[in-house]
């Protein structure tokens, strides 16, 4: 087999994640899926990637049955930046706003009823009552609210928002990881984002595409980016919610923001005055990037992505109940098998003359 060096960058979703937790569960389940299909012969090695800001820990997976095949697993950890940045009351208020025309109805009547309490404001729902309201909710519904709280913080694109700096810190970290891997000697790079992590990776790719528009040297490395894999992604929700903020008549503002933030977004055609043609010099430098989106019917947060071009939506079954299915993607071995199969070229049959020489 020809040499194939693959990097997989994994990033977690919202919630109380610990550093290296996502890398650990991803690596263990990837190994399990490969052992089921290939048998023994796998080796896992802890390595450090040295750069300008010191070393980064990652693990490398090799297979004695496939010389030259290497998979490096990297993690982008950002939970410490968003945790406890928003109150329960503020989350419910955001859910109520987002659900008006933004496709949140599948969250259910209970969540929308609780969100109406958020509109009562600070005086009727003081912060110290957050815990009490949480106790009134079932585990699955509480999970949805907690996750949407981080979505509310991260999607604060308005410079005036008190959470805007948090969003920028997360995005800058994701960009640093992406650029580091692109500049390493990898043949293929796979990006895997769960839940809100899929939004983070999408936004990072959006910024990377803008950089490639201005940097020919960086653009020449675009072939390394092989695939974006989104798991339980709320990207349709965030796209619809953010687009609601721009009035239809503000076509100049929409033209700019659509082309700055709208990587592969559908329907980016703001209405202009009669006789005027709108355009942009921004082009898609990542046309060859695959995008596979996995979703579970019992996941109320993620679903098929309809607001973007070039997405292959794959319905899967994580084997969990409603709500908790959102947490089951990293345990779904089907996802690992398919990802590795797509990224690994099939082994070429040995040349007859070469086999003859080996036999002599």
């Amino acid at each position: 087999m020809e040499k194939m060096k693959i990097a997989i960058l994994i990033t977690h979703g919202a919630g109380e994640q610990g550093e290296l937790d996502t890398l650990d569960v991803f690596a263990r389940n990837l190994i399990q899926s490969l052992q089921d299909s290939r048998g023994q012969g796998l080796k896992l090695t802890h390595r450090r990637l040295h750069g300008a800001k010191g070393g980064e820990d990652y693990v490398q997976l090799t297979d004695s049955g496939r010389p030259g095949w290497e998979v490096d697993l990297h993690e982008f950890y950002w939970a410490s930046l968003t945790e406890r940045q928003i109150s329960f009351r503020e989350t419910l208020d955001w859910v109520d706003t987002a659900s008006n025309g933004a496709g949140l109805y599948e969250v259910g009547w209970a969540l929308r009823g609780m969100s109406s309490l958020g509109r009562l404001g600070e005086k009727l729902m003081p912060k110290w009552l957050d815990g009490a309201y949480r106790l009134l909710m079932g585990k699955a519904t509480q999970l949805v609210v907690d996750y949407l709280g981080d979505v509310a913080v991260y999607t604060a694109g308005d410079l005036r928002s008190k959470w805007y700096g948090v969003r920028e810190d997360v995005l800058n970290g994701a960009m640093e990881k992406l650029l580091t891997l692109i500049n390493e000697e990898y043949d293929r790079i796979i990006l895997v984002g769960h839940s809100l992590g899929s939004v983070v990776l999408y936004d990072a790719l959006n910024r990377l595409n803008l950089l490639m528009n201005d940097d020919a040297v960086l653009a020449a490395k675009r072939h390394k980016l092989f695939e974006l894999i989104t798991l339980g992604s709320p990207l349709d929700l965030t796209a619809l919610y953010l687009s609601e903020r721009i009035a239809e008549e503000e076509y100049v503002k929409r033209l700019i923001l659509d082309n700055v933030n709208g990587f592969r977004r559908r329907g980016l055609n703001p209405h202009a005055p009669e006789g005027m043609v709108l355009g942009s010099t921004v082009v898609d430098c990542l046309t060859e990037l695959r995008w596979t989106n996995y979703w579970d019917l019992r996941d109320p947060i993620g679903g098929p992505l309809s607001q973007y071009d070039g997405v292959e939506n794959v319905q899967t079954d994580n084997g969990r109940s409603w709500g908790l299915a959102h947490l089951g993607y990293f345990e779904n071995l089907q996802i690992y098998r398919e990802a590795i199969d797509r990224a690994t070229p099939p082994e070429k049959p040995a040349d007859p003359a070469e086999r003859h020489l080996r036999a002599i």
Side-chain angles (χ1 to χ4, degrees):
M1 175 182 176
E2 296 180 1
K3 181 180 178 182
M4 175 57 63
K5 190 172 178 62
I6 300 170
I8 302 180
L9 177 62
I10 312 112
T11 191
H12 57 79
E16 297 183 356
Q17 310 283 345
E19 190 173 10
L20 300 179
D21 285 354
T22 306
L23 179 63
D24 176 80
V25 70
F26 189 95
R28 287 188 287 110
N29 283 293
L30 174 60
I31 290 169
Q32 181 63 56
S33 69
L34 291 174
Q35 285 180 328
D36 290 346
S37 60
R38 299 184 182 184
Q40 304 301 313
L42 297 176
K43 180 181 179 181
L44 187 70
T45 305
H46 165 233
R47 302 179 69 91
R48 286 178 65 79
L49 185 66
H50 297 284
K53 294 189 177 181
E56 177 212 334
D57 294 288
Y58 68 100
V59 290
Q60 183 177 90
L61 189 62
T62 54
D63 185 350
S64 61
R66 290 195 172 189
W69 180 85
E70 297 177 357
V71 176
D72 292 351
L73 304 177
H74 301 264
E75 179 189 69
F76 172 50
Y77 176 71
W78 52 270
S80 59
L81 298 172
T82 58
E83 283 181 0
R84 300 178 181 87
Q85 294 287 338
I86 186 172
S87 71
F88 182 51
R89 181 190 62 255
E90 290 170 323
T91 300
L92 294 179
D93 188 61
W94 180 89
V95 169
D96 181 72
T97 301
S99 65
N100 291 329
L104 255 180
Y105 296 103
E106 64 271 24
V107 173
W109 66 268
L111 181 57
R112 293 196 301 277
M114 296 293 272
S115 74
S116 66
L117 294 177
R119 297 200 308 272
L120 295 178
E122 242 177 73
K123 292 183 179 179
L124 296 182
M125 190 188 286
K127 192 172 183 179
W128 58 269
L129 279 178
D130 280 4
Y133 279 103
R134 288 180 183 276
L135 292 176
L136 298 176
M137 310 175 77
K139 184 176 180 181
T141 307
Q142 181 178 330
L143 179 149
V144 173
V145 173
D146 289 342
Y147 275 54
L148 289 177
D150 278 358
V151 172
V153 171
Y154 179 74
T155 56
D158 192 326
L159 286 167
R160 298 166 296 181
S161 170
K162 66 178 181 179
W163 301 308
Y164 183 79
V166 176
R167 170 187 168 83
E168 285 301 294
D169 288 342
V170 173
L171 262 180
N172 289 337
M175 282 295 296
E176 182 180 345
K177 286 280 188 179
L178 271 179
L179 292 172
T180 296
L181 295 182
I182 289 173
N183 288 320
E184 290 293 314
E185 294 183 357
Y186 287 115
D187 299 298
R188 291 181 172 178
I189 299 171
I190 301 172
L191 309 176
V192 182
H194 173 238
S195 186
L196 187 55
S198 68
V199 183
V200 173
L201 289 180
Y202 169 83
D203 288 340
L205 283 171
N206 201 41
R207 291 194 176 185
L208 181 65
N209 184 62
L210 293 177
L211 285 179
M212 287 183 173
N213 270 260
D214 299 325
D215 187 338
V217 175
L218 180 62
K221 300 176 182 179
R222 60 184 178 270
H223 64 279
K224 293 185 177 185
L225 289 166
F226 179 72
E227 183 172 19
L228 170 65
I229 299 176
T230 50
L231 311 172
S233 176
L235 268 165
D236 265 16
L237 166 64
T238 58
L240 288 167
Y241 173 64
L242 292 175
S243 65
E244 291 287 320
R245 295 179 169 182
I246 306 175
E248 184 174 336
E249 65 270 15
E250 297 177 311
Y251 65 89
V252 177
K253 181 178 180 180
R254 182 174 290 278
L255 173 67
I256 295 171
L257 294 182
D258 281 353
N259 284 283
V260 169
N261 301 320
F263 176 65
R264 292 198 186 178
R265 277 281 307 278
R266 288 181 176 172
L268 300 184
N269 296 305
H271 297 289
E274 186 176 352
M276 176 173 288
V277 177
L278 302 179
S280 174
T281 59
V282 175
V283 298
D284 183 0
C285 295
L286 300 172
T287 55
E288 300 303 315
L289 176 71
R290 301 176 62 109
W291 186 347
T292 307
N293 176 62
Y294 289 91
W295 66 285
D296 188 308
L297 194 61
R298 291 183 291 273
D299 177 1
I301 295 175
L305 301 180
S306 61
Q307 299 297 313
Y308 304 86
D309 288 319
V311 183
E312 180 183 357
N313 288 296
V314 179
Q315 184 176 352
T316 190
D317 185 353
N318 293 330
R320 295 198 180 191
S321 59
W322 185 93
L324 299 180
H326 186 68
L327 303 177
Y329 291 95
F330 283 134
E331 298 173 359
N332 189 331
L333 299 188
Q334 169 200 353
I335 295 172
Y336 296 87
R337 287 192 295 267
E338 293 177 353
I340 291 298
D341 286 346
R342 286 191 297 268
T344 304
E347 294 186 90
K348 296 180 180 179
D351 184 76
E354 184 179 346
R355 288 201 302 266
H356 176 72
L357 290 174
R358 288 178 179 175
I360 297 176

